[in-house]
Amino acid sequence: MKIVDARVIVTCPGRNFVTLKIVTDDGLTGVGDATLNGRELAVAAYLTEHVVPALIGRDASRIEDTWQYLYKGAYWRRGPVTMTAIAAVDTALWDIKGKAAGLPVYQLLGGRSRSGVTVYGHANAVDVESVLSEISSYVTLGYRAVRVQTGVPGLASTYGVSGDKMFYEPADAALPTENVWSTAHYLDYVPKVFAEVRKEFGPTLRLLHDVHHRLTPLEAARLGKSLEPYALTWIEDPVPAELQEGFRLIRQHTTTPIAVGEVFNSIWDCQELITSQLIDYIRTTVVHAGGITHLRRIFDLAALYHVRSGSHGATDLSPVCMAAALHVDIAIPNFGLQEYMRHTPETDEVFPHGYHFADGYLHPSEEPGLGVDIDEELAARYPYRPASLPVNRLEDGTMHSW
């Protein structure tokens, strides 16, 4: 089963996606997501110029060997561009493996550990009254978990809050827009929001909140402590994760669970956080953490330390990535939650897929492989459009996190 072709497809059905499609000599095809939000063309070039030529003639069934070849053979290891490119290859090869075996990929990973994948949606709005309405919409749809984000009084705009709801896309301009941030306003307001949410929806709805890396460890500890009465499932990305020792300080001061990892690229990025039990959920993804092969390694390590999965699933992860994530989610023993931001109808048409949502759960396709594809002819109708994520400055003009 030799690889005879590998195509890099860039398309923009509402937002940019990069997809790798691999073809074997016996006619099987596999797809892998290679989207890196705001840096899509860097991965496309890496694949086209460096990876695709090395794939032609390789045995498509040798998934582990190909992963090691691409990782160790680059010399300059890791990083988001390299690991996203490797992920695309790895995911496509798992797709082919499933088709060759006549089985959905999750069966190759050991079969089901649960009947469905619990997902959470994004309820975001400018104020408390509006966000309560958004949460209600998700509850009506059957969601069992909701991430809650609101605007902050005194700030003109807040990352994570937009006019678009189900299809929120933060990359909003060719060059980064700039927002103004105030930690003092934020820390004062967020507990008030969750007090109202719990009052409205009671104790059983699972609630989450994304801090977007914007606090210091001590500030994050204060936030976690103030949110303890509202029993959040997690606060996400409380601090920039480069200083992993900072999570130890947060842990010492609050019992609010912590989730982190959507910007991690490898098991080495999260090894200390997991083995020291400084986090409760690891949010690494198929597309940014080296594909199904490497993500499974991360989750296996996490299982030893009572850390559960909570994979990132925003709209910049294509339906190819979502399909792959669901096959992993349904199989691993330490699954926690899966983020699920729905794609636009245009995106769903470009990426026909067999996974579906019902009663708060996502269900992977039962088709052989991943159960997802790309319509290349339709994809060609949506050319690439430059789009960047915004940046934050403090009120005095100092550069800050998101």
Side-chain angles (χ1 to χ4, degrees), residues 54 64 213 227 277 279:
E64 180 66 38
H213 318 272
L227 292 174
Q277 300 181 66
I279 60 174

Side-chain angles (χ1 to χ4, degrees), residues 85-136:
I86 292 175
V89 176
D90 183 80
T91 306
L93 294 182
W94 276 103
D95 192 16
I96 290 170
K97 178 80 78 172
K99 291 174 180 175
L103 293 169
V105 166
Y106 76 80
Q107 293 287 14
L108 306 180
L109 300 175
R112 288 178 177 267
S113 290
R114 58 200 46 83
S115 57
V117 173
T118 306
V119 298
Y120 69 90
H122 288 202
N124 76 88
V126 295
D127 54 33
V128 176
E129 182 178 354
S130 299
V131 86
L132 292 176
S133 176
E134 290 300 317
I135 296 170
S136 181

Side-chain angles (χ1 to χ4, degrees), residues 100-363:
L103 293 169
V105 166
Y106 76 80
Q107 293 287 14
L108 306 180
L109 300 175
R112 288 178 177 267
S113 290
R114 58 200 46 83
S115 57
V117 173
T118 306
V119 298
Y120 69 90
H122 288 202
N124 76 88
V126 295
D127 54 33
V128 176
E129 182 178 354
S130 299
V131 86
L132 292 176
S133 176
E134 290 300 317
I135 296 170
S136 181
S137 297
Y138 278 101
V139 171
T140 300
L141 288 171
Y143 282 76
R144 301 162 185 266
V146 181
R147 194 187 86 167
V148 179
Q149 310 290 137
T150 68
V152 177
L155 301 183
S157 61
T158 306
Y159 184 88
V161 177
S162 76
D164 298 324
K165 302 305 178 185
M166 291 287 183
F167 317 118
Y168 170 52
E169 171 52 60
D172 59 358
L175 296 177
T177 57
E178 296 189 6
N179 297 327
V180 176
W181 177 252
S182 168
T183 298
H185 285 49
Y186 170 76
L187 290 177
D188 176 66
Y189 187 60
V190 171
K192 300 173 183 176
V193 172
F194 280 93
E196 292 299 316
V197 173
R198 276 293 180 222
K199 180 179 177 181
E200 179 76 15
F201 293 97
T204 59
L205 181 64
R206 300 178 71 175
L207 301 177
L208 308 90
H209 179 67
D210 194 345
V211 185
H212 290 120
H213 318 272
R214 289 182 285 207
L215 302 178
T216 67
L218 196 59
E219 290 166 347
R222 175 185 161 193
L223 175 67
K225 190 73 174 177
S226 69
L227 292 174
E228 285 178 10
Y230 314 114
L232 271 64
T233 296
W234 75 47
I235 54 172
E236 177 184 339
D237 294 340
V239 298
E242 288 90 342
L243 178 62
Q244 299 198 351
E245 184 67 20
F247 286 81
R248 195 176 306 278
L249 190 151
I250 302 171
R251 202 53 136 190
Q252 291 168 352
H253 291 281
T254 181
T255 58
T256 297
I258 300 168
V260 73
E262 71 181 59
V263 300
F264 291 172
N265 310 127
S266 75
I267 196 169
W268 296 280
D269 293 330
C270 51
Q271 179 183 2
E272 177 64 22
L273 292 174
I274 290 171
T275 59
S276 295
Q277 300 181 66
L278 301 179
I279 60 174
D280 303 279
Y281 295 88
I282 181 66
R283 287 181 39 75
T284 45
T285 69
V286 170
V287 65
H288 297 145
I292 292 172
T293 296
H294 196 63
L295 187 65
R296 184 63 188 263
R297 287 198 181 93
I298 293 172
F299 290 163
D300 284 345
L301 174 66
L304 299 179
Y305 295 91
H306 306 289
V307 175
R308 290 187 279 179
S309 73
S311 289
H312 184 54
T315 46
D316 58 303
L317 281 60
S318 85
V320 174
C321 181
M322 181 58 70
L326 293 175
H327 286 280
V328 176
D329 293 338
I330 206 79
I332 60 172
N334 57 322
F335 170 76
L337 280 175
Q338 171 66 56
E339 183 178 14
Y340 177 45
M341 290 188 71
R342 298 174 183 231
H343 293 101
T344 64
E346 293 81 6
T347 297
D348 286 337
E349 289 175 2
V350 171
F351 296 96
H353 54 268
Y355 65 79
H356 66 281
F357 176 83
D359 193 28
Y361 300 109
L362 272 177
H363 301 273

